[in-house]
Amino acid sequence: MIDKTLRVVTFLAPNTLPVYQFAIDYMGKQIGYQTSLVVGSSYEEVYDADLSFICGLPYVLRTRTQPRSIEAIVAPVLQGERYHNQAIYFSDVIVQRDSPFQIFADLRGCTWAYNEPESQSGYGVTRYSLVQRGETRGYFREVVQAGFHQRAIRMVCSGEIDATAIDSQVLAVELRDHPELADQLRVIDALGPSTIQPLTAARHLPASLKTDIQAVFATMHTDPAAHAYLDRGLIDHYVAVDDASYDDIRLMLTACEKAQFLTLI
């Protein structure tokens, strides 16, 4: 008997989980597969899954060590003019509203939070931005791991941390769902853009199935019921991507490696 179940793992922010759960359920129904979505705890789980929602940096790192083990196939285009109808996103640098910090250059010597060290939005692009500025040692007085973006946002609101960089999609969703946070924060810079997080497919999936999945995602926004869910994630539509789409993140990583600057400390 042919297994008609697709095992899907997500590593993306919790506040977008309902959107990706719907998208996977919708896709499965369209192509005649059962689907099972779980929240991942280790990036190594991508090798056992059929499909994965994963950040661009761990995707690049996994495909470097195990080429062609997973393949980026689709990615969202976010709503808003700043995205220019492309599959990109930014890392918005936030501080407390009454903070004296006005631009990124003011943050020298501040306390900084990040979500986790393999996050492009919270870590990789910050690291690259410092390399571009020639600031590869000791720029921040203290660097703290928050665990996830929503926690980092609240650390800034409470004054526990001076600043952090937040995935622009995650930040917009969080401020929409928790409008009281908007009165407590300011965005002082935007790092990036970076190619946005892909849905990846495992090597063992047939090419025809990958094509079918891409087709469903590409037209999902035309279904009014689906579009309502995409709106919850501020997603306009999905587009096909491939491995080369993430070369921008590879270039950022390579620049940091050449500068021997792989940690923010």
Side-chain angles (χ1 to χ4, degrees):
M1 180 181 295
I2 298 175
D3 185 1
K4 295 282 285 186
T5 299
L6 290 173
R7 302 178 306 278
V8 188
V9 61
T10 179
F11 300 93
L12 304 187
N15 70 358
T16 57
L17 180 59
V19 179
Y20 295 114
Q21 179 70 70
F22 172 84
I24 286 299
D25 290 344
Y26 181 92
M27 177 272 296
K29 291 175 183 177
Q30 295 296 311
I31 64 174
Y33 274 73
Q34 297 292 318
T35 57
S36 172
L37 177 67
V38 298
V39 176
S41 58
S42 166
Y43 287 124
E44 302 310 300
E45 294 173 50
V46 299
Y47 301 124
D48 297 321
D50 297 309
L51 301 167
S52 302
F53 290 106
I54 188 170
C55 181
L57 180 56
Y59 169 74
V60 164
L61 291 170
R62 296 297 157 316
T63 53
R64 173 188 277 185
T65 57
Q66 296 195 37
R68 297 180 298 280
S69 56
I70 55 175
E71 174 189 2
I73 58 172
V74 297
V77 173
L78 300 179
Q79 298 172 0
E81 292 183 5
R82 72 187 298 197
Y83 302 107
H84 300 290
N85 200 37
Q86 299 177 39
I88 59 172
Y89 72 117
F90 295 86
S91 295
D92 289 333
V93 179
I94 61 170
V95 298
Q96 269 193 327
R97 182 162 294 278
D98 60 358
S99 165
F101 306 120
Q102 300 298 319
I103 59 175
F104 190 91
D106 296 336
L107 298 178
R108 179 187 294 278
C110 82
T111 54
W112 180 269
Y114 65 94
N115 53 341
E116 58 98 359
E118 287 197 33
S119 167
Q120 172 65 9
S121 59
Y123 203 91
V125 75
T126 303
R127 182 175 59 191
Y128 175 72
S129 180
L130 290 172
V131 167
Q132 292 296 96
R133 290 172 164 85
E135 301 283 358
T136 57
R137 290 293 181 272
Y139 190 77
F140 302 120
R141 173 166 53 87
E142 182 182 8
V143 178
V144 176
Q145 182 169 343
F148 53 97
H149 278 309
Q150 290 95 317
R151 166 71 175 140
I153 291 169
R154 284 157 179 80
M155 291 173 75
V156 171
C157 287
S158 69
E160 184 179 351
I161 289 293
D162 292 323
T164 187
I166 305 294
D167 175 319
S168 57
Q169 180 190 18
V170 173
L171 181 61
V173 170
E174 197 71 3
L175 295 183
R176 180 201 62 199
D177 294 347
H178 303 277
E180 71 279 3
L181 296 175
D183 295 331
Q184 303 175 54
L185 300 173
R186 279 187 296 113
V187 175
I188 64 169
D189 205 342
L191 309 181
S194 304
T195 305
I196 200 166
Q197 303 94 340
L199 175 67
T200 69
R203 178 192 305 177
H204 65 259
L205 291 187
S208 60
L209 179 56
K210 296 176 188 177
T211 299
D212 289 344
I213 292 171
Q214 285 179 317
V216 171
F217 271 88
T219 59
M220 189 180 296
H221 65 286
T222 64
D223 183 331
H227 196 274
Y229 263 88
L230 296 182
D231 272 347
R232 291 180 59 178
L234 303 177
I235 296 170
D236 188 80
H237 62 283
Y238 276 88
V239 293
V241 293
D242 59 22
D243 187 71
S245 301
Y246 294 85
D247 284 348
D248 62 321
I249 296 176
R250 290 187 175 93
L251 290 172
M252 294 184 203
L253 176 60
T254 298
C256 293
E257 290 173 333
K258 287 182 177 178
Q260 297 183 333
F261 183 60
L262 294 176
T263 65
L264 293 178
I265 300 172

